[in-house]
């Protein structure tokens, strides 16, 4: 396939034959391919486009760099791994901690750039030595615990920042989104988060008309009178323009807070590559190192200009399963749409205007889903939490990470939250394993299931993704 930019026409170019799939090196007609590309962009909108808003970064730049990252990923994997790279939700908690410590957007992107560099080097190591190095260092019990504490560490952000801005809109948005996730089918279930955002927008607009301004906190400050939905920035924004850029800055404390996310991103990539390989019938184990390295390189490139991290998104696996179209041409089209959205400041202003109450309702579900992906890893890999070798480090690490326990090392350096919890889980597990009696040291299953899933019949609910990779 060369660099993966040449495709043969599948059948008549309209729809796959019964039981057939459109392989990565095939395509449908260009209008249909463009439509599928737009569908992929919409599928990951709910999580990926909201993430930069939650992190305090420019949504226009995030959207543009997701398109650039997708192109880089497709070229690196030579078109064998169809995937769209979107803004990772796993860094939302990292950004909140760094900003709470007095850091700005440059500090946030600098810390994430370090993670991207480590992820890139990890991918190269996997290419050189094989996936067994991941399995040895991060068995499923460790990976699941780290993903769980990353997600649940975000609970105070929702409770203290977004929900209090408009509790009733938050409650209604949460209920609607939950119903959409459970009750809708096919493609519509894949965009349940997006539908929840649209519903929240509408509720906020109606409440403003019926009840006037609301008196509440806004962005964590003092309570003031304000409109729930403020679109003044949309009217002022240009239709065409470049997003704002900034250089990253680096600090040890910020980098240590962000580094544990590497584990979640590796797990997400492993699951994504395996799931895509099973669906396309093309074993992709040899592409795992390349995919991880490409994710890392894309993150370094994005954060170097002020954008967020980018990673694979399982929402797109759901769209592929529903349509049976795995053509990488559709992802090139999706990348093109993302670049166009990034050049439209008015679109970014619409994203940035999402009411706080709406974010409160969405993040209650979204952050919980990220945390529960850790439990999904345990279930898929049959992790036995009755075994004290598994239970003790996980119990300690999760409570430390979720509860924000801190350990002061010196006057200017301390470990807390996600960073300390991850260290406790990893070092605690391996130290206890070295000392444990033989009957507790049963063989751990390999990190094959990851965090990704898909529906064979394309009729179920959404695959929870990007959350960690996303997520």
């Amino acid at each position: 396939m060369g660099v993966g930019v040449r495709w043969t026409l599948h059948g008549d170019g309209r729809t796959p034959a019964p039981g057939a799939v459109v392989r990565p090196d095939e395509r449908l007609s260009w209008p249909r391919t463009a439509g599928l590309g737009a569908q992929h962009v919409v599928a990951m909108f709910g999580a990926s486009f909201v993430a930069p808003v939650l992190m305090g970064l420019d949504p226009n730049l995030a959207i543009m760099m997701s398109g650039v990252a997708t192109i880089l990923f497709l070229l690196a994997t030579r078109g064998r791994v169809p995937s769209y790279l979107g803004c990772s939700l796993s860094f939302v908690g990292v950004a909140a901690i760094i900003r709470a410590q007095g850091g700005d957007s440059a500090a946030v992107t600098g810390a994430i750039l370090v993670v991207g560099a480590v992820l890139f080097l990890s991918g190269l190591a996997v290419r050189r030595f094989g996936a067994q190095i991941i399995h040895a260092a991060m068995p499923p019990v460790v990976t699941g615990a780290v993903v769980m504490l990353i997600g649940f560490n975000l609970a105070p952000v929702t409770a203290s920042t977004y929900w209090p801005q408009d509790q009733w809109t938050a409650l209604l948005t949460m209920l609607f989104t939950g119903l959409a996730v459970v009750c809708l089918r096919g493609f519509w279930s894949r965009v349940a988060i997006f539908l929840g955002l649209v519903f929240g927008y509408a509720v906020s607009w109606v409440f403003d008309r019926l009840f006037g301004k609301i008196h509440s906190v806004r962005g964590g400050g003092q309570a003031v009178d304000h409109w729930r939905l403020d679109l003044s920035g949309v009217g002022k924004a240009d239709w065409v323009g470049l997003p704002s850029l900034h250089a990253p800055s680096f600090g040890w404390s910020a980098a240590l807070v962000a580094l544990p996310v590497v584990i979640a991103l590796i797990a997400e990539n492993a699951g994504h590559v395996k799931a895509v390989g099973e669906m396309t019938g093309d074993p992709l184990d040899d592409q795992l190192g390349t995919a991880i390295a490409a994710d890392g390189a894309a993150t370094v490139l994005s954060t170097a200009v002020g954008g967020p991290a980018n990673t694979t998104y399982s929402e797109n696996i759901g769209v592929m399963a529903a349509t049976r179209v795995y053509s990488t041409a559709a992802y090139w089209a999706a990348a093109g749409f993302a670049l166009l959205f990034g050049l439209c400041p008015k679109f970014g202003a619409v994203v940035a205007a999402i009411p706080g109450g709406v974010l409160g309702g969405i993040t209650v579900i979204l952050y919980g889903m990220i945390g529960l992906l850790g439990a999904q890893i345990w279930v898929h890999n049959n992790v036995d939490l009755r075994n004290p070798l598994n239970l003790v480090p996980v119990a300690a690490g999760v409570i430390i990470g979720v509860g924000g326990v801190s350990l002061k090392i010196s006057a200017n350096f301390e470990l807390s939250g996600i960073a300390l919890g991850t260290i406790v889980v990893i070092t605690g597990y391996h130290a206890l394993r070295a000392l444990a009696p033989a009957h507790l040291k049963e063989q751990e299953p390999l990190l094959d299931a990851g965090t990704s899933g898909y529906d064979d019949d394309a009729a179920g609910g959404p695959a929870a993704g990007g959350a960690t990779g996303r997520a």
Side-chain angles (χ1 to χ4, degrees):
M1 290 181 62
V3 293
V5 294
R6 298 184 66 180
W7 305 272
T8 58
L9 189 66
H10 177 89
D12 61 2
R14 295 182 179 178
T15 56
V21 299
V22 180
R23 295 178 55 79
D25 59 349
E26 298 178 326
R27 66 169 176 85
L28 298 178
S29 65
W30 284 116
R32 286 175 173 78
T33 297
L36 286 167
Q39 189 170 332
H40 280 296
V41 174
V42 173
M44 44 75 69
F45 179 96
S48 186
F49 288 8
V50 172
V53 175
L54 299 176
M55 297 169 66
L57 301 177
D58 183 359
N60 269 91
L61 180 59
I63 295 164
M64 176 181 287
M65 293 311 298
S66 73
V68 174
T70 298
I71 292 172
L72 176 62
F73 185 91
L74 294 173
L75 290 174
T77 58
R78 298 181 179 274
R80 288 188 60 196
V81 187
S83 181
Y84 187 100
L85 269 64
C87 179
S88 174
L89 277 162
S90 297
F91 289 97
V92 172
V94 169
I97 294 172
I98 293 174
R99 291 186 183 278
Q101 294 174 347
D104 56 9
S105 294
V108 170
T109 52
I112 301 174
L113 190 152
V114 172
V115 173
V118 173
L119 187 64
F120 174 74
L121 295 176
S122 300
L124 296 183
V126 172
R127 280 176 58 101
R128 175 65 178 85
F129 301 106
Q132 60 268 22
I133 64 171
I134 297 177
H135 305 149
M138 297 181 299
V141 61
V142 169
T143 308
V146 174
V147 172
M148 179 173 287
L149 68 87
I150 287 174
F152 291 162
N153 182 264
L154 294 167
V157 177
T158 293
S160 62
T161 302
Y162 298 119
W163 191 280
Q165 293 186 44
D166 187 355
Q167 60 177 359
W168 297 112
T169 297
L171 178 62
L172 291 174
T173 302
M174 180 194 71
L175 294 174
F176 176 88
T177 304
L179 287 172
V181 170
V182 174
C183 298
L184 297 182
R185 291 288 183 265
F187 171 73
W188 292 109
S189 69
R190 309 291 172 187
V191 296
I193 300 296
F194 171 70
L195 296 178
L197 289 170
V198 174
F199 174 83
Y201 257 88
V203 169
S204 297
W205 184 85
V206 170
F207 280 7
D208 280 343
R209 304 284 84 75
L210 292 177
F211 307 118
K213 292 184 178 181
I214 186 173
H215 184 79
S216 68
V217 296
R218 190 173 189 180
Q222 294 183 339
V224 295
D225 291 331
H226 63 92
W227 296 109
R228 297 168 180 82
L229 179 60
D230 184 2
L231 297 176
S232 58
V234 178
K236 298 175 183 177
D238 297 327
W239 281 102
V240 179
L242 291 172
S244 59
L245 309 177
H246 70 257
S249 64
F250 303 97
W252 279 110
S253 59
L256 285 174
V257 169
L259 275 174
V261 180
V262 169
I263 298 173
L265 297 182
I266 290 176
E268 176 64 24
N269 269 276
H272 185 89
V273 170
K274 183 174 180 63
V276 172
E278 289 179 352
M279 287 191 296
T280 61
D282 178 19
L284 297 173
D285 291 348
D286 61 317
Q287 291 294 307
L288 177 57
T290 301
I292 293 173
D295 254 24
T299 293
V300 169
L301 179 62
S302 176
T303 51
V305 296
N310 286 287
T311 188
T312 52
Y313 256 70
S314 293
E315 280 86 347
N316 299 122
I317 290 182
V319 174
M320 286 190 288
T323 62
R324 293 179 292 124
V325 177
Y326 309 112
S327 171
T328 54
Y331 285 100
W332 278 90
F337 282 118
L339 292 173
L340 291 176
F341 281 133
L343 293 172
C344 180
K346 196 171 288 292
F347 176 80
V350 171
V351 175
I354 299 173
V358 177
L359 291 175
I362 292 292
T363 54
V364 163
I365 294 177
L366 208 54
Y367 293 169
M369 289 171 64
I370 296 172
L372 290 176
L373 286 176
Q376 181 182 342
I377 294 175
W378 291 338
V379 171
H380 280 184
N381 293 280
N382 299 315
V383 173
D384 185 5
L385 291 179
R386 295 170 300 179
N387 186 335
L389 176 58
N390 296 331
L391 179 62
V392 171
V394 166
V398 169
I399 291 299
I400 286 173
V402 174
V405 175
S406 62
L407 183 65
K408 193 165 185 177
I409 309 297
S410 69
N412 300 317
F413 181 73
E414 73 174 24
L415 290 170
S416 63
I418 296 174
L420 182 58
T422 299
I423 292 173
V424 167
V425 171
I426 295 177
T427 60
Y429 173 81
H430 288 290
L432 290 175
R433 188 172 181 83
L435 300 172
H439 71 277
L440 295 181
K441 301 179 183 180
E442 296 180 2
Q443 178 64 41
E444 291 283 356
L446 299 183
L447 179 60
D448 282 340
T451 61
S452 297
Y454 61 92
D455 291 321
D456 293 325
D457 59 3
T468 58
R470 206 17 98 232

